[in-house]
Amino acid sequence: QVQLAESGGGSVQPGGSLRLSCAASGLPLAYYTIGWFRQAPGKEREGVSCIGTASGITYVDSVKGRFTISRDIAGNTVYLQMNNLKPEDTAVYYCAATRRAFYLRVAEYDYWGQGTQVTVSS
C-alpha cells in the first residue's frame, strides 16, 4: 500500500523556520517526482515545490530563496526546509507523488499525504 506521511508542521513567528518531512512507504522514491502543495481555507491548492527522479527542482515564485526541497533516497524521505516564513505561508502542506511528469500541477499527482498544518503569526 502506497502511503505518504507529512510531519514537521507547527506554529512559528514571521521570519522563523520549519522543516517538513514526507516519509514514503510502498513507493520507491527514486522513481517518482515528489511535490509539496499547500492549501489555506477558502483557497485553491497550490504547488510549492517539486523534485524529480533526476533531482531536478522547481519552486513557485513566492517561495524562491526561502524554501529548499531535498530528497533522501536511502531513507525514502523528502524534506521541505522553510526559512523566513511569512504569514501568507500559513496553510496545510501536503506532499504528493507522480510517475507521469515533472510538473507542479495538482492534477498530475496520484498519491497524497494527510497534510500538516503550518501557522505563521505574531
Side-chain angles (χ1 to χ4, degrees):
Q1 181 178 349
V2 173
Q3 288 187 311
L4 301 174
E6 304 95 335
S7 62
S11 296
V12 66
Q13 294 181 343
S17 298
L18 288 171
R19 191 187 195 196
L20 306 183
S21 299
C22 174
S25 61
L27 181 158
L29 190 61
Y31 300 106
Y32 287 80
T33 293
I34 304 297
W36 283 99
F37 297 80
R38 64 187 181 187
Q39 187 167 22
K43 296 184 178 181
E44 298 291 325
R45 235 180 309 171
E46 68 168 343
V48 177
S49 181
C50 66
I51 183 166
T53 57
S55 296
I57 291 169
T58 190
Y59 299 95
V60 67
D61 287 345
S62 61
V63 308
K64 287 180 179 177
R66 301 189 297 120
F67 291 11
T68 303
I69 192 170
S70 61
R71 178 177 60 184
D72 176 6
I73 295 295
N76 226 38
T77 302
V78 172
Y79 301 96
L80 185 68
Q81 178 68 45
M82 306 186 296
N83 297 326
N84 192 24
L85 284 161
K86 302 176 179 180
E88 52 263 44
D89 296 317
T90 296
V92 176
Y93 283 71
Y94 300 89
C95 66
T98 182
R99 296 183 69 177
R100 288 195 294 271
F102 182 70
Y103 294 108
L104 198 53
R105 302 286 185 269
V106 169
E108 297 293 331
Y109 287 78
D110 302 302
Y111 307 104
W112 293 83
Q114 80 286 351
T116 185
Q117 178 71 48
V118 172
T119 302
V120 185
S121 65
S122 299

